[in-house]
Amino acid sequence: MIKVFIADDHPIVLDGLKTAINSFEGKSVVGVASNGEDALRQLDFLKPDILLTDISMPEMNGIDLTREAARRFPLIKVIIMSMHENDAYINNAIQAGAAGYLLKDAEKKEISEAIDLIMEGGKYYSKTVSQILMNGIYNSKNQEGNRKSNQGGLSNRETEVLRLIASGLSNKEIGVKLFLSTRTVDAHRYNIMQKLEAKNTAEMIKAGIKLKLLEF
């Protein structure tokens, strides 16, 4: 029996998913939560095989929940099920450790198939999500040459963080925007300063302008 835990702050969606999954052969919902913090507490003792989670939830969003679940419970496979279908959300989910990404308009059969495939060690992305990922890879390859020439040794994520720092956002605000912990943003800031040989934020921004990573 595959044990599934569901995290979603919409009661109607939660009830619908629970009913659907309990109707699947060999699958059972062992717990539910309406926010990430509660989900983490329950995962600790329920130990499900699959965590099916939304992204937008109070207290702790689904990306942070995925990241924490992957760190604390590596045997639990995470599937994101969300209405968000842009590359930022999808890439953040995958980087956080999600094994699958489904859209909320997925049919029951697709949900069941995704669970089965992921339990066998595979990855599952809905057709729309797969297309978005492929488009992102294609665009990245086309832009790779330009990035290498002017990025100053920064990764794409570090460049993104630098631009948000320059826009005046705090580390906490950047973390919320990029679905990263404040500690991770701190690490990115430190790495940026080291690579740009900057002693403070002002020098970091000045170096970014010089490298044409920032425009003012």
Side-chain angles (χ1 to χ4, degrees):
M1 181 67 69
I2 298 174
K3 297 181 294 183
V4 181
F5 188 96
I6 308 171
D8 197 298
D9 65 333
H10 295 90
I12 295 177
V13 174
L14 199 60
D15 289 343
L17 285 172
K18 183 177 179 180
T19 299
I21 292 171
N22 281 333
S23 72
F24 300 155
E25 183 178 354
K27 302 175 183 68
S28 177
V29 175
V30 296
V32 299
S34 59
N35 64 74
E37 292 284 0
D38 185 28
L40 269 183
R41 286 190 290 268
Q42 294 194 59
L43 292 178
D44 195 25
F45 61 85
L46 288 175
K47 298 294 192 297
D49 302 300
I50 294 285
L51 165 61
L52 184 64
T53 180
D54 188 13
I55 289 181
S56 302
M57 295 187 295
E59 297 188 40
M60 177 185 286
N61 63 58
I63 302 294
D64 286 340
L65 171 59
T66 299
R67 187 176 293 107
E68 280 300 303
R71 182 179 67 84
R72 293 166 56 176
F73 315 110
L75 295 180
I76 298 176
K77 308 296 184 182
V78 182
I79 301 174
I80 296 289
M81 189 165 189
S82 174
M83 62 181 287
H84 299 296
E85 53 181 285
N86 64 61
D87 56 355
Y89 282 101
I90 296 167
N91 286 318
N92 282 329
I94 293 172
Q95 290 172 13
Y101 198 110
L102 293 169
L103 298 179
K104 282 196 170 180
D105 62 359
E107 296 183 358
K108 294 199 309 184
K109 181 181 178 182
E110 184 178 17
I111 298 172
S112 183
E113 289 175 348
I115 292 173
D116 287 337
L117 180 60
I118 288 170
M119 284 302 297
E120 292 172 1
K123 306 285 186 182
Y124 190 98
Y125 307 111
S126 66
K127 184 177 180 181
T128 300
V129 171
S130 295
Q131 187 60 55
I132 291 170
L133 290 173
M134 290 303 297
N135 289 342
I137 292 171
Y138 176 78
N139 291 334
S140 294
K141 286 182 177 179
N142 283 346
Q143 297 170 14
E144 188 173 358
N146 290 334
R147 285 174 179 161
K148 286 183 177 179
S149 65
N150 66 8
Q151 204 157 288
L154 302 188
S155 68
N156 292 338
R157 174 64 82 191
E158 288 166 348
T159 302
E160 188 174 19
V161 170
L162 174 61
R163 288 169 179 164
L164 292 174
I165 291 172
S167 71
L169 296 186
S170 67
N171 285 7
K172 184 177 180 180
E173 290 170 330
I174 292 171
V176 170
K177 189 175 183 65
L178 299 181
F179 299 104
L180 300 173
S181 67
T182 303
R183 182 179 300 177
T184 299
V185 177
D186 287 339
H188 283 313
R189 180 188 282 266
Y190 175 81
N191 290 336
I192 294 167
M193 292 181 71
Q194 293 298 307
K195 291 180 179 181
L196 298 184
E197 299 181 354
K199 296 179 181 179
N200 52 47
T201 301
E203 288 188 6
M204 187 166 55
I205 293 174
K206 183 178 179 180
I209 294 173
K210 185 177 181 180
L211 291 168
K212 298 182 179 180
L213 297 174
L214 303 174
E215 295 181 2
F216 287 94

